Amino acid sequence: MQLVVLACLAAVAVAAPQNFARYYNRPDYRHIAILRDEREDRGDGNFRYEFETENGIHVNAVGTPGSKGQSNIQGFFRFPLDNGPIAEVSYVADEYGYRPQSPLIPTPHPLPAHAIEQIRVAEEQRRRGIIFK
C-alpha cells in the first residue's frame, strides 16, 4: 500500500511542473495585475466583494441572507470584448433564480400582431367555456 501511495505522489510531482510550464509558457500568456480587491464577510450571511484588474475586468457583488435559506446576491461584472467595447452584465440571484440583464443577452423577437390577436381570442373563448378538441 505504501508503494502505491509513493508511486502516486511521484507521478503527481513529475506531471505538475509540465502542466504548469505548458500553461505559463504560452506566447499569449501574461500576468494581469489586480488593481483592487475588497472583501467583507460579516459572518451573518451579509457580504460584499469587489475586484478590478488592469485589463478592464470589474466584479461587484453584495449578498444578504434570503428568506428560504439562500443567499440573495445583487451585483454586476464587466469585461472588455475582443473587438474593443466593454461588456456589462448586472444580475440578481435569489429565491427566484439567477436573473441577468444586459444588452448582450439575446431576446426573442416580438410576436407579430396576428399572433397576439389569436392569443387574445383564445383567452376570451376559454373565459366563455369554449373548448376545442
Side-chain angles (χ1 to χ4, degrees), residues 79-129:
F79 55 94
L81 297 173
D82 290 338
N83 58 355
I86 301 292
E88 182 169 339
V89 177
S90 60
Y91 65 89
V92 172
D94 56 16
E95 65 270 16
Y96 302 111
Y98 177 72
R99 297 182 313 277
Q101 293 183 336
S102 173
L104 299 172
I105 297 174
T107 57
H109 293 288
L111 291 174
H114 71 277
I116 294 171
E117 177 63 17
Q118 287 175 333
I119 292 169
R120 188 194 64 72
V121 168
E123 288 172 350
E124 178 63 29
Q125 290 173 339
R126 265 188 234 112
R127 274 194 293 277
R128 291 180 175 178

Side-chain angles (χ1 to χ4, degrees), residues 39-84:
R39 299 167 191 264
E40 179 183 349
D41 185 352
R42 297 184 191 156
D44 60 357
N46 291 291
F47 66 90
R48 77 169 195 83
Y49 62 85
E50 184 167 9
F51 69 86
E52 194 170 356
T53 64
E54 72 176 328
N55 66 343
I57 296 171
H58 186 179
V59 177
N60 177 298
V62 175
T64 57
S67 61
K68 298 182 180 179
Q70 81 285 350
S71 289
N72 292 339
I73 304 172
Q74 184 171 342
F76 70 87
F77 54 92
R78 284 185 203 130
F79 55 94
L81 297 173
D82 290 338
N83 58 355

Side-chain angles (χ1 to χ4, degrees), residues 27-38:
D28 62 336
Y29 177 82
R30 70 181 184 94
H31 289 279
I32 304 297
I34 305 294
L35 302 176
R36 183 172 47 171
D37 186 353
E38 299 174 4

